[in-house]
Amino acid sequence: MTDVTATATDRAHRAAKRYVYAFGGGRAEGDASMRDTLGGKGAGLAEMTNASLPVPPGFTITTEACNDYFAAGERLPDGLWEDVLEAIGHVEQQTGKGFGDASSPLLVSVRSGAKFSMPGMMDTVLNLGLNEETLNGLVALTGNERFGWDAYRRFIQMFGRIVMGVSGEKFDEALDHVKEQRGAKQDTDLDAAALRQVVEAFLEIVRSEAGRDFPSDPREQLDLAIKAVFASWFGKRAHDYREYNKIAHDLGTAVNVVTMVFGNMGDDSGTGVAFTRDPNTGEKVLYGEYLTNAQGEDVVAGIRTPLHIRDMLERMPDIYNQFVEIAGRLERHYRDMQDLEFTIERGRLYMLQTRSGKRTAAAAVRIAADMVDEGIITEREALARIEPAHVDQLLRDQFDPASRVQAQKITAGLNASPGAAVGKAVFNADRAFEMAQQGEKVILVRIETSPDDFHGMAAAQGVLTARGGATSHAAVVARQIGKPCVAGCASLVIDYGTRSARVNGLGFSEGEWISLDGTTGEVFVGALPTTQARFEDQAELQKLLEWADRARRLQVWTNADKPEEAAMARRYGAQGIGLCRTEHMFREGERLDIVRDAILVAFQATRAKERREAGDSLSAEDEAAVGRFDEALAKLEKLQEGDFYGIFEAMDGLPVVVRLIDPPLHEFLPNHAEVLVEVTRMEATGVAADDPHYVEQREVLRAVEALREQNPMLGLRGIRLGLMIPDLIKMQTRAILNAAIARRRDGGDPHAEIMIPLVGHVNELSRTREILEAEARQVQDAAGMEVDYKFGTMIEVPRGALTADAIAEHAEFFSFGTNDLTQMAFGYSRDDAEGGFLLTYVERGILPENPFQSLDVEGVGQLVRMAVEKGRAARPGIEIGVCGEHGGDPASIAFFNEVGLDYVSCSPFRVPVARLAAAQAALQGAAERDK
Ligand code: PEP
Ligand code: MG
């Protein structure tokens, strides 16, 4: 055995950069810390080698070599090829075999391996080094002619497709043709002679499709394969995957060249994949599958249905026990659940890969909690390991148990990725993607999926396949992106031609609704109703969130408009209501009519009241308008008081921020075009002038026209509305305070905070405050009881942020309305941009992210930061939170933590997510300060 480090010195002389790292024989040049350079797989192979685990010798070409390859115009950088040849020499010495040596051929695999695992997204070539001569050597060495020819045909097929760009279907057709001729059902039914015939057909296909002979020189094969693996970094599916997972495009892939070991050398050989814990549930059991007499791609592609890993105990007990021991060691070493690939060649176990295993949300939470209990990781590490998206998934819908009993179940498969999915069946990934873009819910149904289907899987609600096991492509990818998946539904006959699927006479066609239960593996026709996942039943999640509560500084409040929502948010851990949008209550049932009634006469009545106060007497018509307005407001006041009572009750003891009316009034009236058409239609059909419906519609039309604005979002809304129609402020103030008084009388502990929206100038706020405080005084005097309430404002107009010091003089609290602040800082209409150009902007990279989803820290963030500083300078200790959509977005939460907000407020479902994100932000912030 040569010393691997000795060769490194030679290399260092040759090129300034180190492109190749060897491993084998218990020593490796790299280690686990070198993921950036060696990729995940390369770092894992090096680390396993160093740990004296049985790893076939090989070497890793760095990610930097990949980047330099592209930088040099797709040319291998200087010195790389020499390093590769030297490393091959090293492998030859380790194995005692020769690359291209007919008597003892060394065959290698050439595999991609990026820093972040991208399962199946890039290319791999196996059995490289074979040609007519080395094939003879392989046959002679193994004494197995069939095995040799099978290895050769697989190599030509893979290399032809991946490296030479020959369509995979051509090879499939030729293989099927020979199978048909020979009456063979499966590939394994073909004998050596038949496989030789397949090889000849394949070589001919390559000649005609690629316009050249299949390369027989192993060195040329290696050169081309390395370049093809580099190229696969920029392949479409890898690109799409990185886009979806927000992985940088400039990382590059490493290339691992590893001695081939064969799992298909007979019944004492095999290959498999296993997780050290169940990746669905997180349970501490070895979970995986294997196939005897098979090569790796047979397991992953789901071509043969594999056996459970437990079966190995009976069939190969020694190997099984060795594997269990290695699995345990690797898990303890990496302090995380591992995903392992192994091959058994004639009774000898080889480890081919170890990496942190992908897992479902439920498994992530359970594994993190269990590993803390087992003393493997700390609470803080557990918190860092859970992704906020995991928490989100755990609160996802399930099928309603009652309706599932009656539902038409047509089949069941493997429960590959949990959760309930409902959508229209679609049999093609492109189509699934297109339909989803148009807002349809779809389920992607495939015989099996391949990496080319990724975009369709990501766009679908769930995935259903007829073939493949728990580690098939469909299962692995679906779990990772959090989509429910039922795999390996063997009874399902899928016909791409007719776009339909059948089981025993039942079935469905494209466009028909189906429902999948990825937790049980069941498939139903029709759209089943779903119910929410029960947070209360998730003990591990609760435990983790309690740790999060101890670690975080930010409070988490919620945006809720109804008592039920408030109660749910409280169960999820909300510490207050940060935004109760009172106008949401205006739209329910009979209320809309009352609200409309008030709006129709609001301006007339308000002006009339002003004149009356100035000493004028009113016309009968004005008197009537005032009466109608007051009556409508009185009804609304009663209804609102009841609502607020319910919310204070649900949030007893906690702060409740109630925002006064915000939207432009036309939102409560019918659409202008509709009323105009109705009035015109009636007039055209000769309606009587005093027809009551006509009179009413005319009045509505007049009001709609009077309220029409070119830019309603920048028009009469928010505080402006309150100042124009002060009775709205007064009515809402009375409703809020009377509800608080009633709660106090009933023994409750209400904490009202009254919030004014859309303030841009301090005078707007000071005037509103006068009106509101006078009314509040009256309410308290009338009740003979003082109620504590806070008066504050939203900061959501850029001018409000810029003058936050002046505004703070009149506000006991600020709440950032980052939806409007984003709209006005960018000058994007939030109603239009998201459905329009904004998506294109993000797709083309003009904007890194949709700023309505994740706060634009660079721009809008400056306004937030400035307003916090100015507000705190003018009023030390002022309470500051955020209630825009960004309050539930983990990246934005990190920023809010950093600028020192007191709380974030988000929708009830996001509360647990925000609890975790706030803890992660605090821990991250502390780690950075400690640096
Ligand atoms: C905001 O603007 O961020 C906000 C919370 O208010 P709304 O979305 O109701 O305008
Ligand atoms: Mg707003």
Side-chain angles (χ1 to χ4, degrees):
M1 189 189 113
T2 49
D3 179 357
V4 293
T5 45
T7 58
T9 331
D10 301 339
R11 269 177 242 148
H13 288 304
R14 197 177 300 127
K17 285 183 182 169
R18 171 87 182 268
Y19 287 128
V20 172
Y21 288 77
F23 53 85
R27 290 191 63 177
E29 294 176 336
D31 60 44
S33 69
M34 295 174 68
R35 286 175 64 94
D36 285 354
T37 320
L38 303 181
K41 189 187 294 254
L45 286 166
E47 189 77 0
M48 286 198 292
T49 304
N50 284 330
S52 300
L53 297 184
V55 175
F59 56 92
T60 303
I61 304 171
T62 62
T63 52
E64 191 181 18
C66 174
N67 288 332
D68 289 354
Y69 169 77
F70 286 109
E74 303 190 20
R75 219 177 47 79
L76 293 187
D78 289 346
L80 172 58
W81 184 243
E82 290 76 10
D83 287 355
V84 166
L85 292 180
E86 190 180 309
I88 281 280
H90 173 243
V91 176
E92 287 177 329
Q93 277 166 341
Q94 295 274 327
T95 55
K97 296 178 179 176
F99 199 48
D101 179 346
S103 57
S104 175
L106 167 68
L107 304 187
V108 293
S109 63
V110 181
R111 295 168 187 265
S112 55
K115 175 176 179 186
F116 301 108
S117 147
M118 297 169 53
M121 297 296 145
M122 288 181 295
D123 289 330
T124 285
V125 178
L126 303 177
N127 302 350
L128 189 139
L130 274 177
N131 55 29
E132 302 275 331
E133 282 141 36
T134 54
L135 168 63
N136 289 334
L138 184 68
V139 170
L141 270 179
T142 57
N144 188 336
E145 200 180 352
R146 187 196 177 280
F147 162 74
W149 283 99
D150 191 41
Y152 194 28
R153 75 94 190 159
R154 284 174 191 259
F155 172 49
I156 301 168
Q157 192 170 356
M158 257 190 178
F159 192 94
R161 186 168 57 77
I162 290 165
V163 183
M164 303 182 81
V166 179
S167 138
E169 279 169 19
K170 297 264 179 211
F171 294 123
D172 292 342
E173 280 164 15
L175 183 64
D176 286 347
H177 181 68
V178 174
K179 271 160 71 179
E180 212 170 284
Q181 266 186 351
R182 309 228 164 201
K185 278 207 182 109
Q186 299 197 354
D187 298 0
T188 42
D189 297 335
L190 295 173
D191 62 12
L195 289 164
R196 181 181 208 137
Q197 192 189 340
V198 173
V199 164
E200 276 156 18
F202 280 8
L203 289 173
E204 188 46 47
I205 289 171
V206 169
R207 214 167 287 132
S208 67
E209 293 292 309
R212 62 159 288 182
D213 279 339
F214 190 83
S216 57
D217 177 2
R219 285 162 203 253
E220 186 187 2
Q221 293 171 357
L222 183 59
D223 171 64
L224 293 172
I226 291 170
K227 289 173 180 163
V229 172
F230 282 159
S232 69
W233 173 257
F234 285 113
K236 180 173 171 359
R237 44 180 218 260
H239 181 273
D240 289 354
Y241 183 89
R242 289 196 296 272
E243 282 285 300
Y244 183 86
N245 288 288
K246 301 208 168 19
I247 297 174
H249 292 297
D250 62 359
L251 297 177
T253 180
V255 181
N256 297 288
V257 179
V258 187
T259 308
M260 281 298 300
V261 284
F262 293 96
N264 54 346
M265 281 187 138
D267 287 339
D268 59 352
S269 302
T271 187
V273 289
F275 295 84
T276 54
R277 301 190 186 214
D278 185 330
N280 287 311
T281 62
E283 194 188 344
K284 197 176 176 195
V285 288
L286 200 58
Y287 178 97
E289 18 184 51
Y290 82 112
L291 276 170
T292 47
N293 199 11
Q295 262 194 327
E297 79 257 27
D298 299 341
V299 181
V300 177
I303 291 165
R304 273 167 58 194
T305 300
L307 297 171
H308 195 283
I309 193 93
R310 257 195 326 265
D311 294 355
M312 237 170 92
L313 178 59
E314 259 173 47
R315 290 167 195 240
M316 307 178 178
D318 292 345
I319 301 268
Y320 180 79
N321 289 331
Q322 188 192 356
F323 182 68
V324 170
E325 192 265 326
I326 289 175
R329 260 169 73 189
L330 284 169
E331 187 181 276
R332 282 192 301 279
H333 181 74
Y334 284 101
R335 301 164 69 237
D336 195 7
M337 182 260 259
Q338 296 295 295
D339 168 359
L340 308 167
E341 274 180 29
F342 62 95
T343 285
I344 304 149
E345 185 184 88
R346 292 181 155 171
R348 244 187 104 178
L349 173 68
Y350 291 95
M351 299 303 297
L352 302 185
Q353 173 157 303
T354 186
R355 59 183 172 195
S356 281
K358 304 275 180 222
R359 61 205 77 179
T360 62
V365 166
R366 173 155 179 195
I367 291 170
D370 284 356
M371 284 193 164
V372 172
D373 290 346
E374 292 163 28
I376 299 175
I377 57 173
T378 63
E379 285 181 14
R380 286 175 168 225
E381 282 171 309
L383 287 173
R385 280 192 190 175
I386 308 296
E387 291 167 30
H390 284 145
V391 177
D392 206 28
Q393 275 173 40
L394 286 176
L395 303 173
R396 255 200 273 115
D397 293 355
Q398 313 261 305
F399 287 126
D400 169 44
S403 57
R404 102 189 275 140
V405 176
Q406 292 149 18
Q408 192 182 24
K409 173 173 153 187
I410 57 164
T411 184
L414 193 77
N415 51 345
S417 176
V422 180
K424 291 181 177 169
V426 179
F427 294 84
N428 167 293
D430 289 341
R431 204 153 151 61
F433 182 79
E434 279 160 26
M435 284 175 64
Q437 288 269 299
Q438 287 154 15
E440 299 257 27
K441 291 193 163 166
V442 298
I443 296 214
L444 181 63
V445 185
R446 300 285 295 165
I447 296 173
E448 64 200 359
T449 63
S450 79
D452 291 332
D453 295 322
F454 179 76
H455 60 305
M457 298 174 75
Q461 303 293 311
V463 181
L464 170 62
T465 65
R467 269 197 231 149
T471 49
S472 65
H473 176 265
V476 170
V477 174
R479 269 202 299 273
Q480 186 192 338
I481 60 178
K483 304 276 170 174
C485 173
V486 175
C489 247
S491 56
L492 199 64
V493 181
I494 295 175
D495 182 348
Y496 290 146
T498 57
R499 298 184 186 173
S500 64
R502 294 271 162 266
V503 192
N504 305 327
L506 293 171
F508 53 86
S509 301
E510 181 167 289
E512 288 184 50
W513 287 91
I514 58 171
S515 303
L516 304 183
D517 190 332
T519 314
T520 62
E522 290 162 294
V523 181
F524 305 91
V525 283
L528 260 64
T530 49
T531 57
Q532 286 154 10
R534 278 182 52 82
F535 181 61
E536 287 75 5
D537 299 340
Q538 307 191 41
E540 278 107 5
L541 178 59
Q542 310 253 13
K543 186 152 76 170
L544 259 141
L545 290 176
E546 278 161 27
W547 297 339
D549 294 344
R550 289 208 290 270
R552 68 188 158 95
R553 184 192 61 74
L554 275 173
Q555 291 205 4
V556 178
W557 297 15
T558 192
N559 295 354
D561 309 323
K562 296 190 186 132
E564 315 85 84
E565 284 174 13
M568 183 169 77
R570 194 166 190 175
R571 285 200 302 278
Y572 284 168
Q575 296 164 286
I577 289 187
L579 177 62
C580 170
R581 292 179 166 104
T582 50
E583 66 273 2
H584 282 186
M585 304 166 174
F586 287 179
R587 292 177 202 277
E588 306 225 319
E590 41 153 18
R591 300 177 183 201
L592 197 54
D593 286 339
I594 304 173
V595 172
R596 282 185 180 171
D597 220 29
I599 293 172
L600 292 179
V601 288
F603 289 94
Q604 186 184 0
T606 305
R607 301 293 89 84
K609 285 186 184 188
E610 283 164 9
R611 284 203 303 281
R612 190 166 61 193
E613 261 167 46
D616 290 357
S617 58
L618 300 187
S619 67
E621 202 193 327
D622 280 348
E623 288 287 3
V626 168
R628 190 169 156 196
F629 185 55
D630 286 347
E631 194 183 326
L633 282 191
K635 283 188 199 158
L636 265 183
E637 183 181 330
K638 272 278 138 283
L639 292 166
Q640 291 229 296
E641 190 182 319
D643 293 332
F644 296 139
Y645 183 96
I647 289 176
F648 288 138
E649 189 174 26
M651 297 306 276
D652 197 52
L654 298 180
V656 175
V657 177
V658 183
R659 180 180 72 181
L660 301 192
I661 185 168
D662 179 57
L665 292 181
H666 76 84
E667 283 194 12
F668 302 101
L669 296 179
N671 173 285
H672 177 246
E674 275 170 27
V675 205
L676 185 62
V677 166
E678 178 66 359
V679 169
T680 313
R681 188 191 61 77
M682 283 192 282
E683 286 173 353
T685 51
V687 68
D690 59 352
D691 177 288
H693 180 54
Y694 175 64
V695 172
E696 185 210 314
Q697 288 296 301
R698 287 279 315 245
E699 189 184 21
V700 172
L701 183 61
R702 251 197 318 276
V704 173
E705 285 180 342
L707 286 171
R708 278 182 90 197
E709 292 176 309
Q710 294 299 332
N711 291 307
M713 268 292 179
L714 300 178
L716 186 58
R717 56 175 284 228
I719 192 165
R720 307 160 197 171
L721 196 57
L723 286 171
M724 291 302 106
I725 310 171
D727 279 353
L728 288 175
I729 300 177
K730 294 181 191 165
M731 178 277 281
Q732 292 201 298
T733 303
R734 285 195 303 273
I736 295 165
L737 295 185
N738 279 324
I741 288 167
R743 275 299 300 153
R744 283 273 298 281
R745 293 215 161 106
D746 292 345
D749 182 20
H751 291 263
E753 304 197 6
I754 303 178
M755 179 160 80
I756 310 299
L758 228 71
V759 173
H761 196 287
V762 62
N763 291 349
E764 291 178 307
L765 192 66
S766 58
R767 295 279 167 87
T768 304
R769 185 175 164 196
E770 279 165 24
I771 300 169
L772 192 142
E773 283 184 347
E775 199 65 21
R777 186 70 268 137
Q778 277 186 25
V779 171
Q780 294 175 90
D781 290 348
M785 186 191 272
E786 295 294 306
V787 269
D788 260 350
Y789 71 93
K790 280 189 184 162
F791 176 82
T793 181
M794 294 189 74
I795 299 288
E796 54 180 346
V797 174
R799 195 184 183 285
L802 295 167
T803 57
D805 41 358
I807 289 176
E809 302 283 342
H810 295 275
E812 289 168 279
F813 65 90
F814 283 172
S815 175
F816 286 101
T818 44
N819 304 334
D820 271 308
L821 200 57
T822 300
Q823 161 167 270
M824 294 188 222
F826 272 96
Y828 296 162
S829 154
R830 51 196 265 213
D831 289 342
D832 305 313
E834 280 193 280
F837 64 88
L838 206 50
L839 273 185
T840 318
Y841 262 31
V842 175
E843 266 166 30
R844 295 194 186 154
I846 297 171
L847 286 182
E849 213 121 27
N850 176 350
F852 289 105
Q853 273 170 5
S854 199
L855 192 85
D856 160 48
V857 169
E858 233 183 352
V860 181
Q862 281 196 50
L863 291 168
V864 173
R865 194 187 291 275
M866 179 194 300
V868 171
E869 283 165 9
K870 288 187 169 220
R872 292 246 158 90
R875 186 189 283 263
I878 182 173
E879 171 190 289
I880 307 183
V882 54
C883 63
E885 286 311 301
H886 307 88
D889 169 61
S892 313
I893 290 173
F895 172 75
F896 297 133
N897 181 66
E898 186 215 316
V899 293
L901 261 49
D902 296 308
Y903 68 88
V904 292
S905 186
C906 54
S907 66
F909 272 116
R910 303 289 295 175
V911 166
V913 176
R915 285 166 69 188
L916 175 68
Q920 289 180 338
L923 295 174
Q924 180 73 24
E928 266 155 31
R929 278 191 301 279
D930 291 348
K931 264 188 200 160

